[in-house]
Amino acid sequence: MSSETRRDAFATGCPAHGGRTPLYGPEFAARPRQVYDALRRYGAVAPVELAPGVPASLVISYNAALDVLRDPVTFPKDARRWQRSVPSDCPVLPFMMYRPAVNLTDGAAHTRLRAAIADGLSRIDPNTVRESVERNVDTLMRGFSEKGSVDLRAEYALVLPMLVFNEILGCPPEIGERIVTGMRGVVENVDAADNNQLAVKAVAELVALKRARPGQDLTSWLIEHPSGLTDQEVIEQIFLLVGLATETEQNLIVNALLLLLSDDRFAGDLSGGNLPVEDALEEVLWADPPVANWAISYPTQDVALHGVLLPADQPVVIGFAAANTDPAAMSMSRAGNRAHLAWGAGPHKCPAQSQARTIASIAIERVLDALPDLELAVPTSGLEWRPGFAQRALVSLPVRFAPVHIPPRPTPGTQGMGRAGGLAAALLDAGPRRSNPLTRWWRGE
């Protein structure tokens, strides 16, 4: 099929959406794999709609996705030309708009920002991260272990990454709560513009605090880096890191727990006490990655990709979930295979995957170890998936178990990234302070 013919095929989709398949709403959230399979009739790239009136091209071929991710010259990240074509109230604009962040820049600017982030992450002691995760895991589990039931998303996976990354960033609890509240609204397109401002303002307060009183934390290291990042650049890098910590990490934990608790391939290992956590994580990263569709680029001129002509200045979205389940990719053996695209590829590959794996592995291992008879409280058909084109995320993960008592751990010193460790206690001690949105999430309200 010629490029022109394939481009004409873009008009054969849903007439109500300009011939494009919508990647939003409860229908897509409930059955994304069926949507991806149906889109394969278009070839390597399919016409989709990210929100009402927001057309895009979704790359659903594994090899085509690699070609895009490895070619930032043809597929640049700068969204500003596209932004001029959409109204200011576009629901996904706060989520997709240009920022001077490492994942949204190319060339020398990207190299400079990535060096600062990579150097900062390299200074984080893995043992300190592990201790932080274990301490916060135990604190959270003590809050529900004697109840016999819990929503593991609201009271565990949602809160844990934020606790750990707040310590990594040296972020005080009262600032961290506002950052996460705003970030969640941006990702879920709930009052996105207002929540974007809430998050940015809170991060700006953190940067001002650390410029005045630096510490042994990632925020201070970004400020002090020889690359000479401006305050705005530091704010944007932290905005990105918090988004990865709160959204991607919680989805990875929840999706892996769901797999372990519902898939017969893992049930025997769980009952026998051998927790195949790494196997479950790899399976999720292949088949149900926490970020399903992202790594958006904006070609500055019409460009052919695997026989499909992509229009200039229109978003090109990498379908991580679709590409990983491309029949060509699924022919590869997955045993010990980390060739999936869940962390990206090329110059924009995720620089924090080591920390992400540590948090997820410990979170899953410790909750399964502490609650060995853990099981889903509802059938998998009763679980609800959150809407949105980018994420693959459950609304809740209700489970039940035999109540157990988890004794307190000794409290370590507060050096280095432990300076923000009081947030877990703040959440547990919040009591009836219902004005605190993060506390309401933590309590599953």
Side-chain angles (χ1 to χ4, degrees):
M1 183 183 294
S2 70
S3 296
E4 288 299 327
T5 302
R6 189 71 61 77
R7 192 176 189 181
D8 290 342
F10 274 29
T12 64
C14 176
H17 298 276
R20 296 175 176 274
T21 300
L23 297 188
Y24 54 88
E27 296 82 6
F28 171 70
R31 292 176 293 276
R33 293 185 190 179
Q34 289 90 325
V35 173
Y36 301 143
D37 287 343
L39 289 174
R40 296 195 195 282
R41 70 184 185 274
Y42 292 107
V45 186
V48 297
E49 196 175 51
L50 305 181
V54 182
S57 300
L58 183 69
V59 182
I60 56 177
S61 155
Y62 180 90
N63 290 328
L66 276 178
D67 288 343
V68 173
L69 292 168
R70 291 171 174 171
D71 185 3
V73 175
T74 306
F75 297 96
K77 298 294 187 180
D78 194 325
R80 283 176 285 192
R81 287 165 59 105
W82 168 78
Q83 285 176 222
R84 291 195 288 268
S85 70
V86 299
S88 59
D89 61 350
C90 174
V92 294
L93 181 58
F95 190 42
M96 295 172 58
M97 65 187 294
Y98 171 81
R99 304 173 187 270
V102 67
N103 66 322
L104 303 176
T105 54
D106 296 294
H110 170 262
T111 300
R112 174 172 161 271
L113 295 173
R114 188 175 179 92
I117 290 179
D119 290 349
L121 291 173
S122 70
R123 296 180 66 175
I124 298 172
D125 181 0
N127 292 325
T128 305
V129 174
R130 176 173 290 275
E131 190 280 328
S132 172
V133 178
E134 292 175 349
R135 169 168 40 82
N136 284 302
V137 159
D138 288 356
T139 299
L140 292 174
M141 285 198 298
R142 284 199 302 276
F144 59 75
S145 64
E146 298 185 36
K147 297 178 182 179
S149 64
V150 69
D151 176 357
L152 278 179
R153 176 183 176 260
E155 299 190 37
Y156 189 63
L158 175 65
V159 186
L160 175 64
M162 184 270 300
L163 295 174
V164 176
F165 266 80
N166 270 356
E167 294 189 11
I168 290 174
L169 293 168
C171 184
E174 65 275 10
I175 295 178
E177 291 165 9
R178 283 181 283 134
I179 294 174
V180 174
T181 299
M183 180 62 69
R184 184 173 184 234
V186 170
V187 172
E188 296 189 352
N189 290 331
V190 177
D191 298 325
D194 291 341
N195 277 305
N196 179 65
Q197 290 300 315
L198 175 67
V200 170
K201 183 178 178 180
V203 175
E205 290 182 28
L206 171 62
V207 172
L209 174 65
K210 289 300 172 179
R211 191 169 286 282
R213 298 198 300 273
Q216 293 300 304
D217 52 67
L218 183 55
T219 305
S220 300
W221 297 333
L222 288 174
I223 292 172
E224 298 166 355
H225 194 267
S227 295
L229 273 62
T230 66
D231 281 2
Q232 185 60 38
E233 288 174 330
V234 175
I235 289 169
E236 296 297 348
Q237 309 328 302
I238 292 175
F239 192 92
L240 167 66
L241 290 168
V242 171
L244 293 173
T246 57
E247 199 54 43
T248 306
E249 190 70 32
Q250 64 153 313
N251 297 345
L252 178 58
I253 294 170
V254 170
N255 292 359
L257 282 169
L258 173 61
L259 181 69
L260 287 162
L261 295 173
S262 64
D263 194 308
D264 290 340
R265 291 174 297 169
F266 298 95
D269 289 330
L270 287 174
S271 62
N274 178 24
L275 307 180
V277 171
E278 289 300 322
D279 290 346
L281 285 175
E282 289 307 317
E283 178 67 18
V284 165
L285 291 168
W286 272 103
D288 246 344
V291 178
N293 305 295
W294 192 236
I296 304 174
S297 58
Y298 306 84
T300 57
Q301 59 186 7
D302 288 3
V303 59
L305 177 68
H306 287 236
V308 180
L309 191 62
L310 307 178
D313 301 323
Q314 187 179 98
V316 175
V317 183
I318 300 299
F320 293 113
N324 281 344
T325 54
D326 177 359
M330 294 184 71
S331 64
M332 297 184 289
S333 172
R334 296 191 179 181
N337 188 343
R338 295 187 177 184
H340 54 73
L341 301 178
W343 304 113
H348 287 278
K349 189 172 184 178
C350 176
Q353 58 181 285
S354 174
Q355 289 83 3
R357 279 185 176 277
T358 296
I359 295 171
S361 296
I362 296 174
I364 297 166
E365 288 171 355
R366 290 182 80 86
V367 75
L368 292 176
D369 185 56
L371 309 173
D373 59 348
L374 190 70
E375 63 179 7
L376 292 176
V378 299
T380 55
S381 60
L383 295 172
E384 182 182 356
W385 294 89
R386 293 157 58 198
F389 75 88
Q391 62 196 0
R392 179 60 174 162
L394 282 170
V395 171
S396 63
L397 185 64
V399 297
R400 56 183 173 235
F401 50 88
V404 298
H405 173 70
I406 298 177
R409 287 165 53 92
T411 302
T414 56
Q415 296 185 354
M417 53 171 279
R419 291 179 60 176
L423 182 52
L427 288 172
L428 290 172
D429 295 339
R433 290 189 300 156
R434 300 181 64 86
S435 60
N436 181 336
L438 186 56
T439 302
R440 294 202 301 274
W441 300 346
W442 184 85
R443 297 185 184 281
E445 299 173 355

